[in-house]
Amino acid sequence: MNTRVLSAELNFRVPRVDVNFSVLRTELRRSVAPWAGAVVLTSALTFLYAVDAGWWNGTTAWTAQWTSLALWTRSLLFYLWPLAVGFGALQGLRDHRSKMVELLTSTPRPARHRAAVPAAASAITLTSAFGLLVLVGGVQVLANTQYTHAGWLPISLVGALFLVAGAVLGMGVARTLPSPLTPPLLAMAAFAFTALMHMSLGRTSTIDPATGITTTEPNRLSLLSPEVDEVHSVLVTLSASVHIGQTIWVLGMAATGFALLVAATPRTRLLALTPVLAGALLALLVLPSDPRRMYVVDKTAAEPVCDGPVCVTRAHQDRLAELAAPGKEALRLLHHALGDRAPVSVRENTAVLPYGSTPKWSRTTVLFGFDDAVVAEAKGKELTSALLAKGLVPGCTPVGWSGFGGDEYAQVVAVAWILGDLKPLPGTPAVVRDEVETETRPVWKKLMALPRAEQLARINAMRGAALACKGDPFEVLSGRTH
């Protein structure tokens, strides 16, 4: 008797959760969810492999480092997320198209149980598709770097959550507004949202008073978008507050979508908007307003790994062996040429500056990046020449810009002054080699004809202008300005 009472109490307090996997399997076979996952995966891989863009170049390639992989795949959400929203809306129209809404609502099965099955099917397929996309890149990353870490996982996990939440929101909206126009219009609205967040509403423009150059930086609103900025440095990642704020926003979005799926009256549909509005408000309170607290330097990845005076970041520790000897030779040559004014160390540059800003350099350290044009493809003696060039004329092209002119001409002449032989530096484009020869050889001959003391004075003046990013180093070297 006591056993029966205890059994009844347990049955009352711990309700049995009936997970009908056969229904879920049927949903996966017959719904649009598998198609959504297939389109997301195939379109993303096609986009990555068919378009030769930034995700294939240099140290920030999507298959070069784990954080770059996570950020580049997240950047694809500018169109993958609208696709997920559109497919979700198409899924949400199924009951309306089959004219079974009244029949289903009259069954004793709770509405939340009916809504959970298609939502779970979409969640499984979209998460699997995004996971396979990351896996394809991850296999290649394993072969390309010795630096492994788990800091990239939140970036990808939040990306998968965005896809799932977008699909569930699309289902809920289509269930509320059952029209054939709902899926395309909703997908277009989602695409317009991501575009606006990264073109106007989510960007803040400022003018550098020193140069007059307009720079743009992301603001807090941009973080409501599933997309992230392009990867410009392997050392940049998203901060923890960004992950937390975006997770709050995504959960609010998913909750509203699910609430709209089960809502049956205008009042409950109106109340269903509460989670997404509350999520947006809470997210904006958590998300950082300072761009330097949004995209931050990964301190572990930026830790120096050194061989004497030559250092690289931990992210590129596998490249230290090839850099050590050329770096030490470059320092020896600079000391022989410049004396006490010569730099005393070679270090990979870990500064992350806003797009369009002026670089900052050191008199005592040769700062370089593995993506610098003069360094990127240099090996052995060429790498020594490249580091000499960075130590003498580091370059003042605004961050994110490209060009070829006075800085590069000055590098050629300055390196030739040390090595005694004028020739193009590593990374010089073939189309400008003749131009470089024409511009630099007369200046080099004129410099070498001067007394040694005046040569050194010219070089020091040129280096001072180059390090301060004031004036044209080539004009200083040629004697046209003083």
Side-chain angles (χ1 to χ4, degrees):
M1 183 69 179
N2 292 335
T3 303
R4 292 180 180 177
V5 172
L6 179 60
S7 176
E9 289 178 354
L10 287 175
N11 287 335
F12 174 75
R13 293 176 182 177
V14 187
R16 185 169 58 90
V17 178
D18 184 12
V19 181
N20 196 330
F21 289 102
S22 63
V23 174
L24 182 58
R25 285 196 298 270
T26 302
E27 183 73 22
L28 287 170
R29 287 199 306 269
R30 297 181 178 179
S31 73
V32 77
W35 289 103
V39 170
V40 164
L41 178 60
T42 55
S43 66
L45 289 175
T46 301
F47 198 83
L48 286 170
Y49 281 96
V51 180
D52 185 12
W55 49 80
W56 282 114
N57 299 328
T59 61
T60 58
W62 80 291
T63 57
Q65 295 284 348
W66 291 105
T67 302
S68 299
L69 164 67
L71 289 172
W72 277 122
T73 49
R74 270 289 296 274
S75 71
L76 296 181
L77 264 61
F78 82 92
Y79 80 93
L80 293 181
W81 185 68
L83 279 178
V85 172
F87 273 110
L90 193 61
Q91 175 82 343
L93 286 180
R94 185 179 59 180
D95 293 347
H96 177 76
R97 291 198 308 269
S98 60
K99 300 180 180 180
M100 295 177 59
V101 176
E102 292 184 4
L103 175 63
L104 291 174
T105 54
S106 65
T107 61
R109 191 182 183 192
R112 62 180 181 277
H113 288 184
R114 295 195 306 271
V117 175
S122 292
I124 290 171
T125 55
L126 289 171
T127 302
S128 299
F130 195 71
L132 285 172
L133 173 65
V134 174
L135 180 62
V136 169
V139 171
Q140 299 173 78
V141 172
L142 281 173
N144 291 332
T145 183
Q146 296 178 3
Y147 177 60
T148 58
H149 61 104
W152 62 277
L153 281 172
I155 302 173
S156 293
L157 290 175
V158 172
L161 284 176
F162 261 110
L163 289 176
V164 173
V168 175
L169 181 65
M171 290 181 199
V173 173
R175 177 76 167 76
T176 305
L177 302 172
S179 167
L181 296 178
T182 299
L185 290 177
L186 203 56
M188 291 174 61
F191 184 79
F193 175 77
T194 60
L196 286 173
M197 288 300 101
H198 286 268
M199 292 172 58
S200 56
L201 294 180
R203 309 291 298 187
T204 301
S205 299
T206 56
I207 300 177
D208 188 338
T211 62
I213 297 174
T214 300
T215 62
T216 63
E217 292 182 311
N219 60 36
R220 188 181 300 171
L221 285 177
S222 70
L223 299 176
L224 295 179
S225 169
E227 183 187 2
V228 297
D229 276 0
E230 290 187 2
V231 187
H232 297 295
S233 171
V234 72
L235 304 177
V236 170
T237 188
L238 292 173
S239 65
S241 56
V242 171
H243 299 320
I244 295 171
Q246 289 186 333
T247 300
I248 293 172
W249 161 235
V250 168
L251 292 178
M253 190 191 307
T256 286
F258 193 79
L260 288 173
L261 272 176
V262 301
T265 65
R267 181 174 179 273
T268 54
R269 287 168 184 160
L270 189 61
L271 288 174
L273 299 178
T274 302
V276 71
L277 296 176
L281 179 61
L282 289 175
L284 290 174
L285 292 175
V286 173
L287 292 170
S289 58
D290 186 350
R292 287 174 290 278
R293 292 176 53 231
M294 300 176 189
Y295 295 88
V296 297
V297 175
D298 185 337
K299 294 181 179 180
T300 303
E303 286 179 356
V305 179
C306 302
D307 182 344
V310 181
C311 299
V312 298
T313 61
R314 187 170 297 281
H316 292 136
Q317 58 190 354
D318 53 329
R319 304 188 68 170
L320 179 59
E322 69 182 57
L323 183 77
K328 293 173 184 177
E329 177 63 10
L331 290 175
R332 186 190 68 80
L333 291 171
L334 286 169
H335 180 73
H336 178 74
L338 302 177
D340 293 339
R341 294 191 176 189
V344 295
S345 62
V346 174
R347 289 179 178 267
E348 184 179 355
N349 193 1
T350 59
V352 178
L353 301 175
Y355 182 86
S357 60
T358 302
K360 301 182 185 301
W361 304 114
S362 168
R363 290 184 176 273
T364 59
T365 302
V366 178
L367 296 173
F368 74 96
F370 285 108
D371 286 331
D372 294 341
V374 71
V375 175
E377 299 179 4
K379 303 288 183 182
K381 292 183 178 180
E382 283 193 340
L383 188 51
T384 299
S385 298
L387 293 173
L388 286 173
K390 295 297 292 184
L392 293 164
V393 187
C396 290
T397 302
V399 175
W401 295 25
S402 61
F404 198 95
D407 285 343
E408 288 72 24
Y409 296 153
Q411 285 179 339
V412 172
V413 175
V415 172
W417 175 74
I418 291 179
L419 298 180
D421 182 21
L422 183 78
K423 57 183 179 182
L425 291 172
T428 302
V431 294
V432 299
R433 285 180 176 261
D434 290 341
E435 178 185 338
V436 171
E437 173 73 18
T438 301
E439 292 288 338
T440 59
R441 187 163 292 277
V443 174
W444 178 60
K445 288 182 176 179
K446 182 179 177 181
L447 176 67
M448 299 304 290
L450 296 173
R452 178 67 184 180
E454 191 168 343
Q455 292 179 27
L456 184 58
R458 288 271 184 96
I459 291 293
N460 284 330
M462 172 214 68
R463 187 163 177 257
L467 292 172
C469 288
K470 294 181 178 179
D472 187 335
F474 188 60
E475 294 292 317
V476 175
L477 194 59
S478 64
R480 297 168 193 165
T481 61
H482 300 281

